[in-house]
Amino acid sequence: MSETAPPPDSLLPYDRWTEEAMRGVALRALEHAAEKGLPGEHHFYLTFRTDHPDTKVPGHLKARYPQEMTIVLQHQFWDLKVDRAAQKVSVGLSFGGVPASLVMPFAALIAFWDPHVRVGLRFGEGVAADDAEPNDAAALPPAPEATEAPAPPKQETPAQVVSLDAFRRKPAGRD
């Protein structure tokens, strides 16, 4: 028997379970922020597919970000909601001083990053609504009930839209 033999195929869906668990961690962080605000210096970068059929973004943002978009939840955002029954996250943000409401299905989320503590999670590239099966990876258990009152409204400071293009890896041989 060879030591280089590939591992046997699993009859258990470990990849899907791992994906569900990672999405669950990101959703719990978003729920915490929705209920109590962001503690200390925590802030979130959330990347999602704008081309997912159930994603809702204003037309000018969809035109600018036709496939994916990263938003920053830090100082000024409102109406952050995680709806596990509908399997969607919604939030209000300002883009260039213009308020916008965004709705992202769980299946459209592809990355979550809290740079304050260097916690980053990357998910699959999202599942098209037609491809999702009932009780599939997007189906998550309900969140525990909140026991504390929500935090006071967030301070009114201008929001910043950050382009992450400068931080993306360039293919070898290109500068």
Side-chain angles (χ1 to χ4, degrees):
M1 194 158 138
S2 171
E3 290 183 32
T4 60
D9 289 334
S10 176
L11 299 176
L12 297 173
Y14 288 114
D15 291 344
R16 191 184 83 214
W17 292 344
T18 302
E19 178 100 1
E20 287 175 15
M22 290 190 320
R23 282 184 196 270
V25 168
L27 294 171
R28 292 280 304 268
L30 292 167
E31 287 170 331
H32 182 89
E35 295 167 7
K36 301 174 182 152
L38 288 167
E41 298 298 315
H42 289 272
H43 56 288
F44 305 146
Y45 289 79
L46 195 59
T47 302
F48 61 97
R49 298 295 305 198
T50 56
D51 59 357
H52 186 284
D54 294 330
T55 298
K56 292 183 176 68
V57 297
H60 70 282
L61 294 175
K62 174 83 167 144
R64 189 168 177 189
Y65 304 99
Q67 293 180 325
E68 73 178 48
M69 180 177 178
T70 297
I71 58 173
V72 181
L73 302 180
Q74 186 170 15
H75 295 297
Q76 188 177 0
F77 60 92
W78 56 90
D79 293 336
L80 175 61
K81 292 183 181 91
V82 177
D83 184 340
R84 289 192 184 243
Q87 297 191 10
K88 294 182 180 181
V89 175
S90 60
V91 66
L93 292 168
S94 280
F95 296 88
V98 178
S101 182
L102 309 176
V103 178
M104 302 146 279
F106 295 172
L109 301 176
I110 55 176
F112 171 88
W113 170 246
D114 182 345
H116 178 63
V117 290
R118 297 185 186 137
V119 169
L121 303 169
R122 185 164 266 309
F123 317 117
E125 286 296 311
V127 178
D130 297 338
D131 296 339
E133 296 178 19
N135 300 320
D136 203 351
L140 296 168
E145 293 296 318
T147 56
E148 296 180 29
K154 306 199 180 11
Q155 65 188 39
E156 294 294 324
T157 56
Q160 295 180 8
V161 177
V162 178
S163 173
L164 298 180
D165 291 340
F167 301 100
R168 296 187 194 276
R169 290 187 191 170
K170 295 180 182 175
R174 291 179 128 186
D175 287 322

